[in-house]
């Protein structure tokens, strides 16, 4: 009986190890595997020091399906507002604004997924922020390529104006 038990146990272990070894290779995680799920940044990601970052001028229009990064050229007050472009605007549309002292170099999606914006702008409201020179401003729309449905447009964009 004991011999039968050991034989069955050894047979089971050999089947287990045979099942675990497969011919297919596991594909490692890479940032690029998310390129179809997340919007692309509006600036060149080749720069590690933020040198290619666009300066925030007197006015900027941000479309819903991109991440935006701006560097503040001079200390000023800026107004953020969602502007309708269609009568069929997505009523749950929100923009999230992050203000950082340094460029965020870990992939835009990580900042967006942190769910900790400095402010959120809802449709129909205007927010004014005092931005300091050399700060980095990141703007993300709640409705983007990751969660947008093909039959519904955002129907609005984010307008940033220096006051």
């Amino acid at each position: 009986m004991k011999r039968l038990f050991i034989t069955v146990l050894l047979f089971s272990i050999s089947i287990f190890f045979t099942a675990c070894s497969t011919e297919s290779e596991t594909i490692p995680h890479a940032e690029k595997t998310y390129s179809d799920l997340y919007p692309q940044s509006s600036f060149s990601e080749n720069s590690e020091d933020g040198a290619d970052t666009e300066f925030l001028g007197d006015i900027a229009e941000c479309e819903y399906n991109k991440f935006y990064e701006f560097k503040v050229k001079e200390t000023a007050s800026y107004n953020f507002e969602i502007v309708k472009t269609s009568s069929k605007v997505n009523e749950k549309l929100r923009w999230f604004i992050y203000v950082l002292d340094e460029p965020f170099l870990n992939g835009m999606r990580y900042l967006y997924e942190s769910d900790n914006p400095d402010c959120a702008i809802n449709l129909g409201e205007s927010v004014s922020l005092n931005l300091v020179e050399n700060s980095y401003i990141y703007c993300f729309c709640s409705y983007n390529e990751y969660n947008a449905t093909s039959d519904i447009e955002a129907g609005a964009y984010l307008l940033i104006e220096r006051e």
Side-chain angles (χ1 to χ4, degrees):
M1 183 71 158
K2 186 177 181 181
R3 195 176 260 188
L4 178 63
F5 175 75
I6 291 174
T7 305
V8 171
L9 179 64
L10 290 175
F11 181 73
S12 298
I13 291 173
S14 67
I15 289 176
F16 173 77
F17 282 114
T18 304
C20 289
S21 63
T22 61
E23 297 289 323
S24 65
E25 186 177 316
T26 304
I27 300 171
H29 164 75
E31 186 75 24
K32 66 182 179 179
T33 59
Y34 288 90
S35 64
D36 293 334
L37 299 178
Y38 291 88
Q40 298 303 304
S41 172
S42 64
F43 71 102
S44 170
E45 294 185 26
N46 297 331
S47 171
E48 291 188 14
D49 62 357
D52 292 340
T53 305
E54 183 179 337
F55 279 104
L56 183 57
D58 291 338
I59 191 166
E61 293 181 5
C62 303
E63 297 176 25
Y64 75 97
N65 60 349
K66 291 184 182 178
F67 291 151
Y68 287 86
E69 176 190 59
F70 299 104
K71 186 173 182 181
V72 179
K73 194 171 190 174
E74 60 184 80
T75 301
S77 182
Y78 288 85
N79 187 52
F80 294 78
E81 180 179 9
I82 299 174
V83 177
K84 291 182 181 183
T85 59
S86 170
S87 61
K88 294 183 179 182
V89 67
N90 182 330
E91 295 298 326
K92 295 181 181 178
L93 195 65
R94 294 180 78 198
W95 277 85
F96 303 104
I97 311 301
Y98 297 79
V99 181
L100 304 176
D101 295 332
E102 298 177 356
F104 190 80
L105 303 175
N106 295 326
M108 291 293 135
R109 66 186 180 85
Y110 293 119
L111 184 60
Y112 179 69
E113 290 172 352
S114 74
D115 199 28
N116 190 25
D118 289 283
C119 77
I121 295 122
N122 295 308
L123 190 61
E125 69 181 29
S126 178
V127 175
S128 183
L129 295 175
N130 294 321
L131 303 177
V132 179
E133 181 180 355
N134 293 324
S135 295
Y136 289 83
I137 311 307
Y138 295 90
C139 306
F140 305 113
C141 186
S142 63
Y143 188 71
N144 51 53
E145 290 176 2
Y146 177 65
N147 59 15
T149 57
S150 61
D151 59 334
I152 301 173
E153 289 290 322
Y157 63 89
L158 177 68
L159 176 66
I160 307 170
E161 290 182 295
R162 189 161 82 179
E163 296 178 340

